[in-house]
Amino acid sequence: MMDDLNALLKAHGLSEMPKVLLAAAECAPLSKTGGLADVVGALPKALKKLGVDARVITPYHRCIKEKYFEKTEHVVDFRIWLGWRNAYVGIERLDVDGVTVYLVDNEDYFGRDIYLGGNMEGEQYSYFTRAVLEALPKLDFQPDVIHCNDWHTAMLPMLAHTQYRGGIQDRVKYLLTIHNIAFQGRFDFGFVQDMFNVDPCYYTPEFIELHGCADYLKAGCVFADRINTVSPSYASEIKTPYYAEGLEGILNARHAVLTGILNGIDRDFFNPETDPNLRQNYGVSDYAAGKAACKRWLQKSMGLEVREDVPLFCMVTRMTEQKGFDLVACVLDDMMCREDMQLMLLGTGDERFEKFMAAAENRYPGKLCSYIGYKEELSHQVYAAGDFFLMPSRFEPCGLSQMIAMRYGTVPIVRETGGLQDTVIPYNRFHEEGDGFSFANFDAWEMRDAMRLAMACYKDKEIMDGLIGRAMRKNFGFEKSAAEYARHYIWML
Ligand code: ADP
Ligand code: GLC
């Protein structure tokens, strides 16, 4: 891998690896609401191993301040204009497992939740964007590439190239990673002008206008030097109207610089052999006893019937339409009444799904349980205890949960879309291949059939051993993705 990268460096006439600053709204383990944080946490660590000086810039959210305040070091502070607002910017530095993280401090914007929703969220991340641009010349680090992630940081290249011409902000290259095209940051143009004083000549369909709004993600797609998304399948899907949410035009126009790079997971953090949250640790050679102990413990502590012989399906998920919770809602009663199975859900999200689960739990005591909330330790315990991991997403840019589940020997059942299709090989009984189950259409009966097939296999120890072994041995480490990102950074210089 290193040899390839060195050869590429040479071919581009470069003497050293690019320096990269990742800008993102969340970064694990400091702040996290989903997979974006996992990626922003794991990628720079893996890049460092390849010799890329990768650092992160992210908001100093309240949850970070509460835990890491003592460990931060003040770098600089200054004030910026955000429309008529004159706001404080503090830059603090924190070392996280050898990676330098710059934290943008402002109590008004980051003293509450990570995402404030609506126009408030627009203002939060417009402030962050302006703060990053103004901080660049003041940092003790001059990146060659700024790696933007999702709409929250997608305005960086446009502002850099239109408002900082000739400055270091303009000379840097920009990679935009789309983790989820469903969120684009769409606002009234008046609002965006108020935030950034954008020249109205850019409020056209060639630039940032979409469906009568100014669209931050579209601006990123227009102005970034390269664009990628988080799996090859999703990179194809977002060129079609069904998945692209209105961005198919610009993504097709820029297809030559659009690629899919599959995410990985942090194999040290998600490791059943050493995970301190588990009742009993285990590896691929002794998973049976370890997983059984974890299953017993979870069943007992969550009020499920303690039984080894019943298949335990689990979900760890944001409860939104993306994750296909409506399919589960369709067949839940049918399955709970007919099948000898258990379901454990850890999740939070849309109120209607949360209420549905709470009511269903009362109908099937001992068979069904949910924990509505966000809890990292419990998620590890669920990944370890389950027999099957259900992820019937309507769309899935990559999905990390299915990879984590496989690492913990929990066999995934997924819909064949985006990254789920790229990471799970469906079970083939003729060739004894595969590490999970899948179904093609977004259809509750198809999902139920896949679950039934899984339950039939559960009765056969040899089949399950094969599935679990193949799932656990699969290497979803970040090394491959990091090398691919390094290649992209080099191509841009
Ligand atoms: P997405 O980012 O779309 O939510 P991913 O599968 O990429 O989906 O990543 C989800 C990440 O968030 C995983 O690390 C998963 O374990 C974690 N997660 C999701 N919901 C919860 C929850 N309720 N409690 C703890 N962790 C959760
Ligand atoms: C988004 C996507 C998810 C992906 C994650 C990290 O939240 O919904 O599929 O794994 O970003 O890239």
Side-chain angles (χ1 to χ4, degrees):
M1 220 180 272
M2 273 317 287
D3 289 349
D4 286 0
L5 285 176
N6 285 329
L8 191 63
L9 266 186
K10 234 168 142 192
H12 282 254
L14 301 168
S15 54
E16 54 178 39
M17 289 287 183
K19 297 191 193 65
V20 181
L21 185 64
L22 285 104
E26 41 183 301
C27 169
L30 308 178
S31 53
K32 172 171 164 183
T33 68
L36 167 66
D38 286 325
V39 173
V40 177
L43 177 60
K45 274 209 274 177
L47 284 167
K48 282 211 115 168
K49 291 190 189 141
L50 299 173
V52 177
D53 187 352
R55 306 188 184 189
V56 177
I57 189 157
T58 192
Y60 197 0
H61 292 297
R62 186 188 55 188
C63 56
I64 308 179
K65 213 172 251 182
E66 281 169 359
K67 234 172 133 183
Y68 296 89
F69 180 72
E70 302 285 320
K71 299 197 177 117
T72 58
E73 185 193 327
H74 187 67
V75 180
V76 64
D77 57 82
F78 52 95
R79 299 189 77 88
I80 56 167
W81 288 101
L82 192 66
W84 49 267
R85 305 157 196 82
N86 188 251
Y88 168 84
V89 180
I91 304 284
E92 312 294 317
R93 188 176 30 218
L94 179 66
D95 180 277
V96 184
D97 296 335
V99 173
T100 300
V101 178
Y102 296 103
L103 298 162
V104 174
D105 187 21
N106 179 300
E107 276 292 312
D108 287 336
Y109 291 119
F110 304 127
R112 283 167 285 164
D113 293 339
I114 297 178
Y115 301 112
L116 294 175
N119 275 16
M120 230 8 251
E121 190 170 319
E123 188 173 327
Q124 237 187 332
Y125 286 96
S126 299
Y127 160 82
F128 179 63
T129 300
R130 183 63 82 195
V132 171
L133 288 165
E134 293 289 323
L136 264 189
K138 301 180 172 69
L139 291 183
D140 51 349
F141 176 65
Q142 295 303 312
D144 304 303
V145 175
I146 295 193
H147 183 161
C148 313
N149 293 276
D150 277 350
W151 76 262
H152 301 99
T153 50
M155 284 294 279
L156 284 165
M158 171 169 166
L159 296 176
H161 294 320
T162 58
Q163 296 183 349
Y164 294 83
R165 287 209 181 117
I168 60 167
Q169 297 88 341
D170 186 30
R171 294 197 299 271
V172 171
K173 300 291 178 190
Y174 290 86
L175 170 69
L176 171 66
T177 299
I178 301 175
H179 295 265
N180 196 334
I181 211 163
F183 303 104
Q184 297 185 2
R186 276 190 199 160
F187 304 98
D188 183 56
F189 184 62
F191 172 83
V192 177
Q193 258 221 311
D194 176 36
M195 289 292 122
F196 289 130
N197 201 16
V198 172
D199 187 326
C201 75
Y202 292 109
Y203 187 54
T204 66
E206 287 82 10
F207 295 109
I208 62 170
E209 191 273 337
L210 186 69
H211 303 323
C213 291
D215 188 302
Y216 282 26
L217 192 62
K218 180 169 179 186
C221 293
V222 173
F223 283 91
D225 295 277
R226 286 198 73 96
I227 308 163
N228 84 288
T229 183
V230 287
S231 69
S233 289
Y234 195 61
S236 305
E237 287 170 349
I238 57 172
K239 282 183 248 164
T240 65
Y242 180 81
Y243 287 99
E245 307 271 348
L247 293 184
E248 62 277 12
I250 179 66
L251 291 174
N252 277 292
R254 301 214 66 202
H255 72 98
V257 292
L258 168 65
T259 44
I261 305 178
L262 194 67
N263 286 331
I265 54 170
D266 185 333
R267 282 167 57 88
D268 299 329
F269 185 63
F270 294 109
N271 182 357
E273 286 182 284
T274 53
D275 192 331
N277 302 300
L278 305 194
R279 193 69 183 166
Q280 188 172 319
N281 290 109
Y282 58 90
V284 64
S285 55
D286 63 347
Y287 73 82
K291 276 188 78 69
C294 292
K295 181 171 172 179
R296 261 195 314 278
W297 181 84
L298 189 81
Q299 286 173 322
K300 200 162 166 218
S301 56
M302 296 305 298
L304 291 168
E305 239 182 287
V306 180
R307 277 175 59 193
E308 204 171 321
D309 63 326
V310 64
L312 172 60
F313 289 77
C314 53
M315 297 178 81
V316 176
T317 185
R318 287 186 291 115
M319 293 166 86
T320 61
E321 278 195 9
Q322 174 191 345
K323 300 294 176 179
F325 197 79
D326 14 7
L327 295 191
V328 179
C330 280
V331 294
L332 190 78
D333 283 297
D334 178 71
M335 295 205 69
M336 282 289 137
C337 291
R338 287 170 203 249
E339 311 287 350
D340 189 18
M341 62 175 280
Q342 293 181 344
L343 177 67
M344 156 82 208
L345 175 136
L346 165 62
T348 174
D350 294 359
E351 201 184 335
R352 66 192 166 114
F353 294 139
E354 291 185 354
K355 281 192 173 149
F356 174 87
M357 268 317 277
E361 213 174 338
N362 289 329
R363 294 198 292 280
Y364 307 104
K367 281 190 90 167
L368 174 68
C369 74
S370 62
Y371 181 100
I372 303 297
Y374 190 93
K375 211 170 182 197
E376 186 74 40
E377 317 84 79
L378 183 57
S379 74
H380 292 228
Q381 287 150 358
V382 174
Y383 286 122
D387 295 301
F388 299 107
F389 189 83
L390 188 57
M391 201 161 167
S393 306
R394 185 184 292 270
F395 67 93
E396 196 59 74
C398 178
L400 303 178
S401 294
Q402 81 283 9
M403 299 192 224
I404 304 170
M406 287 160 95
R407 173 110 173 106
Y408 284 75
T410 301
V411 178
I413 301 170
V414 301
R415 185 167 101 77
E416 290 155 18
T417 183
L420 296 176
Q421 178 167 307
D422 295 342
T423 51
V424 176
I425 302 172
Y427 173 60
N428 179 326
R429 69 193 162 101
F430 301 107
H431 299 283
E432 268 309 310
E433 282 169 2
D435 40 40
F437 299 89
S438 66
F439 59 99
N441 296 303
F442 191 72
D443 177 309
W445 302 122
E446 278 194 30
M447 181 189 76
R448 189 194 58 178
D449 288 347
M451 290 172 77
R452 283 193 173 151
L453 175 60
M455 279 188 274
C457 292
Y458 184 75
K459 298 196 176 101
D460 189 321
K461 188 171 173 328
E462 212 175 301
I463 295 179
M464 283 307 286
D465 279 344
L467 281 163
I468 295 171
R470 288 189 290 274
M472 287 186 82
R473 273 192 287 270
K474 216 161 176 171
N475 185 353
F476 288 120
F478 233 107
E479 301 72 24
K480 235 164 99 186
S481 337
E484 202 50 48
Y485 277 107
R487 249 171 247 135
H488 278 61
Y489 302 144
I490 296 170
W491 287 337
M492 285 193 291
L493 296 184

